[in-house]
Amino acid sequence: MLNIPFNRPSILGRELANVQAAVDLGQLSGDGTFTKACNQRIAEMTGANAALLTHSCTAALEMAALLCDLAPGDEVIMPSFTFVSTANAVALRGAVPVFVDIDPETLNIDPEAAARAVTSRTKAIFAVHYAGFPAAMDRLAETARDHGLMLVEDAAQALGSTLNGRAAGSLGDMAAFSFHETKNIISGEGGALTLMRSDLIERAEIIREKGTNRSRFLRGQVDKYTWVDLGSSMLPGELIAAFLAGQLDMAEAIRARRLAIYDRYCAGFADLEDVDRVRMPHVPQGVSGNGHMFYLLLRDIEDRDAFIAHMRAGGVVTPFHYVPLHSAPAGLRYGRADGPLPVTDDTSARLARLPMFWALEDDGVDEIIALARDYLFVRQN
Ligand SMILES: Cc1ncc(COP(=O)(O)O)c(C=O)c1O
């Protein structure tokens, strides 16, 4: 029997040496040498005007909600097919997540559904780049422009992906990234907020530093620091940043390896997609992905659950997600669906994710494909 987890974190280069160096430098609280280096590297990778490390993507999304000045009664359009943090950030401000459907091709927010959901209360669109594939940002930006809305990228999964040559993180007003251990580049927990809007940078620094102007103080721009706005403690300590810096050094190699695994999966299931037995991810027009995820869409929930059970029995973990937010208990309490969301419900019932991590070797990928094909052939009809 195989023993292949869904994800396994790896140390690839200077992560541990950097952690030791951070200790030697004598600063373990945030915004030291390694945090600044990571901020700069992430800004370069994304083409954003600024990047600020946070302790999670969840925190970066909460910063985005504050920067959008969300208030009770405001509405924010987002997909229901996403992680809870996209919606929590909005609901925590007292605003209402308005859930719309996804495009069946890309599993990203349907830009026409987003346009239809705009009301006089809409303040922002939070677009998720599912599986690392950027959403249809040009059309979403048009809607945002027409109605004076903020456009936020939930780019948790999308570091290193591009749309028409522009990187995720530079496709809206601001973007939230994750370095959780299940992502491509990791620091255990971790995240970053990138900003395209230069006029928001100073306020973002304040929000991230407990609502104080400490960043300006440290740059010598004010002679004392004080409470100037709402905020929280959103920054990671230097040990996390030091580890992350080591991973960021390896970003290109990680992307290349994941894309190789992705391509191997595609080749392994292409014939079964041709006969409509399964569906694989389809790379949207103009998109270059980052190999974050490889999923299969099975026929229905019975087929999907039987597939997951077959893989588990063979020693391979292939989890499903997301439980749609619009029909979740908190989604019903704090949000609303803009009409029925059939693609979201259908996708959630049919999707299974295959293992994807640095240390997964070609032989392992082939064994996973072979095990999956055993099931897919036997349950052909
Ligand atoms: C789309 C999306 N948004 C937000 C998050 C939250 O990220 P974090 O765990 O870094 O807070 C995730 C994590 O899986 C995610 O996939």
Side-chain angles (χ1 to χ4, degrees):
M1 185 166 118
L2 302 172
N3 181 17
I4 304 181
F6 173 62
N7 177 60
R8 183 184 295 142
S10 281
I11 305 256
L12 306 183
R14 291 196 45 80
E15 294 92 330
L16 297 181
N18 285 353
V19 168
Q20 182 64 54
V23 174
D24 295 344
L25 282 167
Q27 180 182 346
L28 300 187
S29 62
D31 273 341
T33 310
F34 283 104
T35 301
K36 287 184 185 131
C38 289
N39 289 347
Q40 193 180 336
R41 179 87 180 92
I42 294 163
E44 283 164 12
M45 285 173 78
T46 58
N49 285 320
L52 294 170
L53 279 200
T54 55
H55 55 69
S56 61
C57 180
T58 300
L61 288 164
E62 289 171 18
M63 286 179 67
L66 280 158
L67 287 165
C68 289
D69 275 325
L70 297 183
D74 289 341
E75 295 180 351
V76 175
I77 296 165
M78 65 177 64
S80 167
F81 191 67
T82 181
F83 190 66
V84 293
S85 297
T86 326
N88 257 324
V90 167
L92 278 166
R93 309 302 328 138
V96 181
V98 174
F99 300 111
V100 299
D101 216 348
I102 47 173
D103 177 317
E105 270 298 298
T106 64
L107 309 192
N108 275 327
I109 186 168
D110 175 346
E112 302 310 327
R116 284 193 301 273
V118 174
T119 72
S120 59
R121 291 166 177 259
T122 308
K123 261 296 199 30
I125 300 172
F126 279 28
V128 177
H129 302 323
Y130 182 68
F133 296 126
M137 294 302 284
D138 290 340
R139 178 72 182 99
L140 292 168
E142 197 179 298
T143 302
R145 226 177 7 252
D146 288 351
H147 299 277
L149 312 176
M150 296 286 257
L151 182 55
V152 175
E153 301 170 65
D154 181 338
Q157 307 171 10
L159 189 65
S161 299
T162 62
L163 172 63
N164 299 323
R166 289 160 58 215
S170 65
L171 303 170
D173 294 305
M174 59 193 112
F177 289 91
S178 175
F179 302 116
H180 182 265
E181 73 168 6
T182 50
K183 302 304 185 294
N184 294 20
I185 308 276
I186 62 170
S187 56
E189 305 282 348
L193 183 75
T194 59
L195 294 144
M196 287 306 280
R197 288 263 305 269
S198 301
D199 57 317
L200 296 178
I201 296 173
E202 190 174 314
R203 180 140 182 251
E205 288 176 345
I206 289 168
I207 289 169
R208 175 171 167 274
E209 271 283 20
K210 301 104 179 159
T212 72
N213 54 359
R214 182 163 182 271
S215 297
R216 296 198 72 203
F217 172 71
L218 293 176
R219 289 196 293 264
Q221 293 165 328
V222 288
D223 58 8
K224 60 177 173 1
Y225 79 86
T226 186
W227 185 25
V228 292
D229 202 341
L230 286 182
S232 186
S233 187
M234 306 292 209
L235 71 169
E238 273 292 282
L239 298 180
I240 292 283
F243 189 100
L244 183 65
Q247 288 264 314
L248 287 169
D249 286 344
M250 299 296 288
E252 262 319 304
I254 293 170
R255 179 167 179 271
R257 178 63 199 140
R258 295 182 80 109
L259 285 173
I261 296 172
Y262 179 96
D263 287 345
R264 207 170 181 89
Y265 277 136
C266 285
F269 295 109
D271 58 329
L272 292 170
E273 181 168 72
D274 288 345
V275 296
D276 277 340
R277 178 63 188 93
V278 282
R279 230 213 67 193
M280 307 188 289
H282 294 170
V283 182
Q285 188 79 18
V287 161
S288 166
N290 63 354
H292 174 61
M293 188 195 296
F294 185 88
Y295 61 79
L296 291 176
L297 288 172
L298 285 299
R299 284 186 173 139
D300 51 33
I301 195 163
E302 287 77 28
D303 189 30
R304 192 274 307 276
D305 290 351
F307 173 79
I308 290 176
H310 169 88
M311 297 301 283
R312 193 188 311 114
V316 178
V317 183
T318 58
F320 68 86
H321 77 173
Y322 297 108
V323 179
L325 297 185
H326 70 283
S327 49
L332 294 169
R333 190 171 335 135
Y334 297 112
R336 71 172 171 80
D338 192 54
L341 309 181
V343 185
T344 298
D345 289 330
D346 179 60
T347 301
S348 168
R350 291 169 49 211
L351 187 138
R353 295 173 290 161
L354 271 51
M356 173 71 83
F357 50 90
W358 169 267
L360 180 59
E361 296 185 349
D362 287 351
D363 286 353
V365 179
D366 292 345
E367 284 165 343
I368 295 165
I369 293 169
L371 182 65
R373 290 179 68 93
D374 285 347
Y375 169 83
L376 295 167
F377 273 120
V378 172
R379 294 284 290 265
Q380 189 80 257
N381 298 305

